[in-house]
């Protein structure tokens, strides 16, 4: 039940939802692209990305000075409410 509450919280915020849609569309995206696309500040976006990562929907990889975000390898397991 706690897992479901966490997921609902992530999807309940319009900005986090927009971030997820952007990542779904682009497959991989860096913070600067998210900021530019959504016209929001980097600290604001980073805070939302942290919340999304905490529920294992997104993962991040470091490429030089850039942090690239993508969906987790197995997003289906993220939504398994029986875990």
């Amino acid at each position: 039940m706690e897992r479901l509450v966490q997921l609902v919280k992530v999807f309940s915020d319009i900005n986090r939802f927009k971030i997820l849609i952007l990542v779904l569309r682009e497959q991989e995206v860096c913070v600067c692209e998210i900021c530019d696309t959504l016209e929001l500040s980097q600290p604001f976006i980073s805070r939302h990305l942290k919340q999304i990562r905490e529920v294992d929907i997104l993962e991040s990889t470091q490429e030089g000075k850039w942090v690239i975000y993508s969906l987790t390898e197995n997003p289906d397991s993220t939504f398994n409410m029986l875990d």
Side-chain angles (χ1 to χ4, degrees):
M1 183 64 108
E2 186 175 323
R3 180 80 176 133
L4 179 58
V5 171
Q6 291 173 335
L7 289 170
V8 169
K9 283 181 182 179
V10 165
F11 288 109
S12 68
D13 183 89
I14 189 68
N15 292 306
R16 286 191 294 268
F17 191 74
K18 288 177 181 180
I19 291 168
L20 287 167
I21 296 301
L22 181 60
V23 174
L24 279 169
R25 187 179 71 206
E26 299 296 326
Q27 303 297 311
E28 290 186 337
V29 63
C30 73
V31 176
C32 60
E33 292 171 317
I34 297 170
C35 293
D36 290 347
T37 302
L38 300 182
E39 298 179 346
L40 298 168
S41 71
Q42 185 272 326
F44 185 78
I45 294 294
S46 292
R47 191 171 344 121
H48 284 302
L49 287 167
K50 179 180 184 274
Q51 292 173 314
I52 299 169
R53 278 194 333 265
E54 286 175 348
V55 294
D56 297 324
I57 296 173
L58 292 181
E59 60 186 15
S60 61
T61 55
Q62 186 84 31
E63 292 184 13
K65 65 178 183 173
W66 306 106
V67 178
I68 306 297
Y69 290 88
S70 59
L71 288 178
T72 58
E73 287 293 318
N74 191 2
D76 292 340
S77 66
T78 298
F79 299 102
N80 186 352
M81 301 305 156
L82 301 175
D83 288 346

